[in-house]
Amino acid sequence: MLTTEPKAASHGASAATADGGIPLIRNFIDGEYLDGTRWFDKRSPLNHAVIARVAEAGREQVDAAVQAARAALHGPWGTMTVNERVDVLYALADGINRRFDDFLAAEVADTGKPMSLARHIDIPRGAANFRVFADVVKNVPTEFFEMSTPDGAGAINYAMRRPVGVVGVICPWNLPLLLMTWKVGPALACGNTVVVKPSEETPQTAALLGEVMNAAGVPRGVYNVVHGFGPGSAGEFLTTHPGVNAITFTGETRTGAAIMKAAADGARPVSLEMGGKNAAIVFADCDFDAAVEGTLRSCFANAGQVCLGTERVYVERPVFEKFVAALKAGAEALRIGLPDDPATGLGPLISEEHRRKVLSYYAKAAELGATVVTGGGVPDMPGNLKEGAWVQPTLWTGLGDDSPIAREEIFGPCALIMPFDSEQEVIRRANDNPYGLATAIWTTHLSRAHRVAASIEVGIAWVNSWFLRDLRTPFGGAKQSGIGREGGVHSLEFYTELKNVCVKL
Ligand code: NAD
Ligand code: 6OD
């Protein structure tokens, strides 16, 4: 029988073991692992078993973390040259790779995602985020202007980038290490110090990264981690702390708005990567098989828990029926299963709470009269997996753009498929949504590809691909999907203050 016992990461300093073998995940403050004000349980998405106890940081621990981060700005970290910091960032990337299997185990334990996904995407990107931003800061261009002065001697102006200071980093649970290092990498590359608040659902890889920081010789206080929840907990304490100079956030749009309000006190800058309701647009002239494969990935990768994932599929009418049939076959071929089974294509959702939300949309779609092409419920799992957060991959037709299924972010393995008749119509319908994160356009018509990409109101438009991206490019959302862009030199706009120096000659 297929059953599973919870597995956790290999236990270094970041996770001592309590009685009963349950790891204790502590805050990482000033280079040390510290308790919080109470412990909360982290449960496995696979079977709801407790897999770790996590130390929740209260105001006192958050304050200690911010103080440590501030002190570190004025210590050896603050006097390092860019090249010295670059070496540290390379060492961090190497350190993650050296502990690859530990990161893999920790990420998979927390999320339940297929190991193949974490092995090929989450953990390698965790390392790459340090390497890429090391290369970016090594090659930052600076501005220089000569000017004339009334006395004829002239003056020169040059711009310098300085760290913004202590950066608060608030992270989600869907790609925990990837999305955390996506912020920590550039923040450290620019000479800042950070206090990270990982999601309460995924504390382990952030904690483990503390060990890598210490092993790489990163000075104490440069990287700090405080665990806990949002309101009334570490998230709120961090974002309202006056010692935090800038806040970078990834998560739901509603949470981003709350964080923006908190940041207004003290007029602190925010970078917000938020929700999406992304459209795939499939033209009849597409490479059919590529469009099917890409759309299946964009709907179901990571059990649909990818901000860039597709939840609306617009298909040009001549190929509509054939495309729906192909997506149905693909969804039904996805193997639901355990992370370490190489055949697994779909893992559980992150938690029972999130499953309730996703299933409420499955119920709503049925109530609204959607045609359920496939799925729509809960798979029959064996043994203790019955307690896990599993849902079926689900496709619907028969609802319009104004239904909540087409408008609201569900963040599960599901999509509404709708036909369209013209390019102008599909652009208008795709844009008629409060979100504006990403789109995937499937067509072999070159001019149409460019026209549609230019017209869709999103931060990222893919043509004949999905999730493909050079990390030097701008990343972020339009409309309610985000504020600001990160990636490559764009990250420097957020993580540095530009200062002009004018020298009279
Ligand atoms: P969430 O907004 O619920 O939580 C994100 C983080 O914010 C967590 O660490 C949480 O504890 C913290 N938090 C919650 N309330 C807070 C508050 N008032 N003050 C401070 N911190 C607070 O998001 P989630 O459920 O973890 O992640 C899923 C969401 O993230 C989806 O909406 C998804 O689209 C979005 N997301 C967006 C991107 C992007 O790049 N645009 C990437 C990944 C995920
Ligand atoms: O690839 C990235 O850098 C990135 N920020 C991806 C976001 C995925 C959202 O779930």
Side-chain angles (χ1 to χ4, degrees):
M1 180 183 286
L2 190 63
T3 58
T4 182
E5 292 307 319
K7 290 184 189 136
S10 110
H11 303 147
S14 65
T17 310
D19 289 349
I22 303 270
L24 298 177
I25 309 296
R26 293 186 157 89
N27 301 294
F28 183 70
I29 299 172
D30 207 16
E32 289 178 24
Y33 288 97
L34 300 176
D35 288 353
T37 49
R38 65 171 194 119
W39 295 92
F40 66 91
D41 289 342
K42 161 63 195 162
R43 290 177 181 274
S44 169
L46 304 176
N47 59 12
H48 206 55
V50 175
I51 54 166
R53 298 222 156 83
V54 188
E56 182 177 355
R59 278 192 198 280
E60 190 189 324
Q61 288 80 28
V62 171
D63 189 49
V66 174
Q67 303 287 354
R70 180 142 309 281
L73 282 173
H74 305 295
W77 183 247
T79 54
M80 271 188 196
T81 62
V82 171
N83 282 342
E84 286 167 338
R85 279 205 310 271
V86 162
D87 288 343
V88 171
L89 288 161
Y90 286 155
L92 289 171
D94 292 344
I96 291 176
N97 284 331
R98 250 194 307 279
R99 302 283 304 271
F100 194 96
D101 289 345
D102 295 336
F103 278 100
L104 187 62
E107 204 73 308
V108 167
D110 273 355
T111 59
K113 67 175 70 192
M115 204 162 258
S116 56
L117 191 68
R119 179 176 284 119
H120 291 113
I121 297 196
D122 299 65
I123 313 304
R125 264 296 303 280
N129 284 336
F130 286 106
R131 203 168 280 286
V132 164
F133 286 104
D135 291 338
V136 169
V137 288
K138 243 184 353 193
N139 297 301
V140 193
T142 55
E143 293 169 56
F144 173 85
F145 298 104
E146 287 178 306
M147 63 183 287
S148 53
T149 54
D151 66 2
I156 57 171
N157 295 259
Y158 60 89
M160 300 179 78
R161 287 192 181 274
R162 314 310 292 165
V164 284
V166 176
V167 180
V169 184
I170 307 282
C171 307
W173 44 257
N174 60 327
L175 305 168
L177 181 72
L178 187 161
L179 289 173
M180 177 190 60
T181 52
W182 170 242
K183 310 288 198 173
V184 172
L188 298 195
C190 293
N192 301 285
T193 59
V194 296
V195 181
V196 174
K197 211 294 281 172
S199 167
E200 53 274 30
E201 292 293 347
T202 50
Q204 296 203 57
T205 45
L208 193 51
L209 190 60
E211 289 185 40
V212 171
M213 293 278 167
N214 282 348
V218 174
R220 296 162 71 106
V222 170
Y223 173 81
N224 305 275
V225 180
V226 290
H227 297 294
F229 303 80
S233 182
E236 180 188 322
F237 303 152
L238 181 60
T239 52
T240 55
H241 197 294
V244 172
N245 300 105
I247 302 166
T248 181
F249 164 80
T250 307
E252 278 190 40
T253 297
R254 216 178 12 182
T255 313
I259 286 176
M260 209 174 169
K261 281 187 191 143
D265 209 357
R268 294 164 305 152
V270 290
S271 171
L272 305 177
E273 293 179 3
M274 306 192 285
K277 187 71 185 180
N278 310 306
I281 301 176
V282 181
F283 286 94
D285 62 17
C286 69
D287 173 337
F288 189 86
D289 292 344
V292 169
E293 186 275 331
T295 306
L296 283 168
R297 259 188 322 120
S298 71
C299 293
F300 299 126
N302 208 38
Q305 303 165 121
V306 181
C307 60
L308 305 161
T310 299
E311 289 192 353
R312 294 183 285 158
V313 185
Y314 293 98
V315 185
E316 202 170 4
R317 204 173 297 273
V319 293
F320 182 76
E321 297 301 336
K322 186 176 163 201
F323 201 80
V324 171
L327 283 188
K328 172 179 159 66
E332 290 175 356
L334 274 175
R335 171 100 167 254
I336 301 177
L338 293 178
D340 49 7
D341 180 345
T344 295
L346 195 86
L349 298 175
I350 189 69
S351 65
E352 182 50 32
E353 185 189 347
H354 188 51
R355 182 166 87 146
R356 272 197 295 275
K357 173 183 165 186
V358 171
L359 288 177
S360 76
Y361 280 97
Y362 284 18
K364 198 175 291 183
E367 276 165 35
L368 292 169
T371 301
V372 181
V373 175
T374 188
V378 171
D380 187 16
M381 301 302 288
N384 64 1
L385 298 180
K386 282 192 195 319
E387 311 303 320
W390 309 89
V391 294
Q392 289 175 325
T394 294
L395 296 169
W396 303 280
T397 57
L399 294 178
D401 295 296
D402 54 355
S403 88
I405 305 301
R407 298 198 70 74
E408 297 168 18
E409 183 184 52
I410 303 173
F411 220 53
C414 54
L416 173 62
I417 319 171
M418 295 171 281
F420 72 90
D421 293 298
S422 77
E423 186 181 312
Q424 290 74 15
E425 173 206 334
V426 78
I427 290 170
R428 178 184 52 72
R429 290 172 61 192
N431 284 340
D432 180 20
N433 192 276
Y435 293 109
L437 187 53
T439 194
I441 302 156
W442 299 92
T443 178
T444 52
H445 189 307
L446 185 64
S447 305
R448 166 180 286 153
H450 288 290
R451 272 197 309 269
V452 179
S455 306
I456 297 288
E457 297 161 355
V458 291
I460 302 142
W462 277 289
V463 175
N464 298 328
S465 60
W466 179 75
F467 210 81
L468 181 66
R469 194 166 65 82
D470 188 309
L471 300 182
R472 293 168 297 183
T473 56
F475 180 93
K479 303 198 282 192
Q480 291 186 26
S481 288
I483 294 185
R485 295 290 180 274
E486 297 197 33
V489 293
H490 307 282
S491 294
L492 307 188
E493 296 304 325
F494 181 71
Y495 294 104
T496 62
E497 281 290 359
L498 256 183
K499 178 197 298 191
N500 185 59
V501 179
C502 180
V503 182
K504 170 79 173 58
L505 300 177

